[in-house]
């Protein structure tokens, strides 16, 4: 079994409503030094495959088909252990 | 200005509905080798502070008050250049 961690983030320059809302909430709580907040997500996947090359190719296909929105997001895939 | 990346994940053993739903969707798309999927989030914060020690203490306070749910989540804080 192979494990991959996919980091998905918004492309630079696109608005991040979740980050903006969180920054406002932090200001309201008194954290006035906050300049910017942005959110991303990590997806950890365990997958069975013949070999690590096949596993990575499969995960890349998953990202393209389901896990990320290539219009507004970019992603990186890291193999672990 | 200081930048921190906070990684928030569910505590081990807790159910992850988003991960389970994604695993099913991947199976439905033909990715039958998928064994497990779990989600986490990364929060990147830029903050003004007197020094790095104050900045880290502030971010730790933010996590405790707003950014993570200590009942079901754990988090790590990394300082970046």
């Amino acid at each position: 079994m192979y494990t991959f961690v996919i980091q998905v983030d918004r492309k630079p320059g696109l608005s991040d409503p979740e980050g903006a809302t969180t920054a406002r909430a932090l200001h309201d709580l008194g954290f006035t030094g906050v300049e910017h907040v942005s959110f991303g997500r990590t997806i950890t996947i365990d997958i069975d495959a013949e070999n690590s090359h096949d596993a990575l190719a499969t995960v890349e296909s998953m990202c393209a088909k389901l896990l990320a929105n290539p219009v507004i997001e970019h992603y990186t895939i890291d193999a672990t252990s």
Side-chain angles (χ1 to χ4, degrees), chain A:
Chain A
M1 193 167 70
Y2 300 91
T3 300
F4 294 88
V5 178
I6 305 155
Q7 174 70 44
V8 184
D9 295 296
R10 271 175 193 263
K11 289 182 177 175
L14 293 179
S15 69
D16 179 350
E18 191 176 9
T21 301
T22 302
R24 278 198 301 274
L26 288 168
H27 276 257
D28 291 347
L29 286 171
F31 297 110
T32 53
V34 173
E35 295 282 336
H36 184 74
V37 180
S38 62
F39 277 76
R41 64 185 185 279
T42 53
I43 309 166
T44 305
I45 295 191
D46 297 332
I47 181 171
D48 268 333
E50 289 291 313
N51 55 60
S52 61
H53 182 267
D54 284 2
L56 177 58
T58 302
V59 170
E60 285 175 343
S61 180
M62 289 177 191
C63 288
K65 288 186 178 174
L66 185 75
L67 300 177
N69 179 348
V71 177
I72 60 170
E73 294 172 331
H74 63 85
Y75 57 87
T76 56
I77 302 172
D78 286 312
T80 68
S81 62

